[in-house]
Amino acid sequence: MPKPIFLIGYMGSGKTTLAKKLANKLELPFIDTDDEIVKEVGMSITEYFQLHGEEKFRALEREHLQKIAQHEAIVSTGGGSPCFFDNMQWMNENGISVYLQMTPKALFDRLSQSKPNKRPILIGKTDEELFNFISEKLVEREPFYKQAHLIIDQINTPVEDLIVLLKNHI
């Protein structure tokens, strides 16, 4: 059975954008785990977090990841997905994982241009606080991200090159 391809990486690394391009080129369905959760719960991720807490959100996120394994699709995961439960191991066993690696500076440049209502966690942070927040979170999460089957330089790897890497990996 064909497996899903999971794109993982920090918030702002371009998982959704690249997943859509990849899905289009490979003629596969595109699935965004955050969008699927929003559809199911009828509220934003931020609202769900505030009402039910991170633990319940992460359990719901895991449930959605496991539903996806039944599909050959390109999957954009939430930035924290690989870091909870055994999600990273599970994705590696049930699909192909690709870490979209970026430096803290590159992420800062993207996220500082982001709309705060789209990324509420960024609200009220000075540039220095935002850069430090990104750097600290990346240090925390990279041990999980680096378990991916493929690690690509997100800024310098065109979608065509990623397709070649994926075909060589299968």
Side-chain angles (χ1 to χ4, degrees), residues 21-77:
K21 288 179 185 174
L22 200 53
N24 187 38
K25 294 256 186 204
L26 296 175
E27 297 179 352
L28 291 170
F30 160 73
I31 299 171
D32 184 303
T33 57
D34 284 351
D35 287 350
E36 294 297 309
I37 291 169
V38 166
K39 278 186 225 164
E40 181 183 319
V41 299
M43 65 182 80
S44 72
I45 302 285
T46 305
E47 291 169 319
Y48 190 87
F49 240 84
Q50 290 168 341
L51 275 174
H52 303 286
E54 184 174 17
E55 196 174 318
K56 282 218 191 279
F57 171 74
R58 296 300 177 188
L60 188 59
E61 189 176 52
R62 177 171 173 69
E63 202 177 287
H64 278 270
L65 272 178
Q66 293 187 351
K67 282 182 198 172
I68 291 165
Q70 301 157 17
H71 306 283
E72 181 178 22
I74 308 300
V75 182
S76 173
T77 65

Side-chain angles (χ1 to χ4, degrees), residues 73-162:
I74 308 300
V75 182
S76 173
T77 65
S81 295
C83 311
F84 292 87
F85 307 108
D86 61 347
N87 288 350
M88 193 64 226
Q89 177 186 340
W90 188 90
M91 285 187 276
N92 282 339
E93 289 170 358
N94 292 280
I96 298 168
S97 58
V98 181
Y99 171 32
L100 310 185
Q101 189 173 43
M102 292 181 69
T103 65
K105 171 78 172 94
L107 289 164
F108 168 80
D109 290 345
R110 282 190 179 183
L111 291 171
S112 62
Q113 302 303 312
S114 217
K115 293 179 181 73
N117 63 338
K118 190 173 182 230
R119 303 187 192 278
I121 199 158
L122 309 178
I123 294 173
K125 287 183 173 46
T126 65
D127 284 353
E128 185 180 350
E129 289 169 336
L130 178 59
F131 183 81
N132 290 337
F133 177 80
I134 292 166
S135 298
E136 289 166 18
K137 281 290 185 191
L138 209 49
V139 166
E140 210 176 276
R141 291 179 174 185
E142 274 212 317
F144 296 97
Y145 294 161
K146 287 187 172 181
Q147 294 173 39
H149 292 117
L150 299 170
I151 298 173
I152 65 163
D153 174 346
Q154 165 56 344
I155 293 174
N156 298 308
T157 307
V159 70
E160 293 77 13
D161 290 358
L162 176 54

